[in-house]
């Protein structure tokens, strides 16, 4: 349900803010669509820009050059 999705997103957002997610752009690499949506909403709520990363060919250059310093997996 949407209620469960937003509850997960709020919980994860609090954790992300608590631990700090270095940098404004955070990579998101998750295999499950429901998990990805909750994490996406959490990152947005934490004020981060999300860079979706595909499992076979994510934006590796952005990680290499330091643009993305944190990847949520």
């Amino acid at each position: 349900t949407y209620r469960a999705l937003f509850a997960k997103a709020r919980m994860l957002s609090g954790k992300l803010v608590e631990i700090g997610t270095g940098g404004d752009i955070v990579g998101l690499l998750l295999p499950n669509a429901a998990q990805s949506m909750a994490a996406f909403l959490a990152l947005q709520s934490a004020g981060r820009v999300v860079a979706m990363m595909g499992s076979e060919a994510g934006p590796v250059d952005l990680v290499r050059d330091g643009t993305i310093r944190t990847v949520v997996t």
Side-chain angles (χ1 to χ4, degrees):
T1 66
Y2 283 114
R3 184 176 302 204
L5 175 65
F6 288 123
K8 283 183 182 181
R10 277 192 306 273
M11 181 192 69
L12 182 55
S13 176
K15 293 288 185 186
L16 292 168
V17 168
E18 188 177 296
I19 64 171
T21 51
D24 290 332
I25 301 174
V26 177
L28 182 58
L29 176 61
L30 291 171
N32 180 303
Q35 292 173 346
S36 294
M37 182 52 67
F40 179 87
L41 291 171
L43 287 165
Q44 291 286 298
S45 180
R48 301 298 189 245
V49 175
V50 181
M52 300 299 287
M53 302 174 77
S55 59
E56 58 275 335
V60 177
D61 292 333
L62 294 174
V63 174
R64 277 193 204 131
D65 74 7
T67 302
I68 296 176
R69 289 186 252 166
T70 304
V71 176
V72 175
T73 61

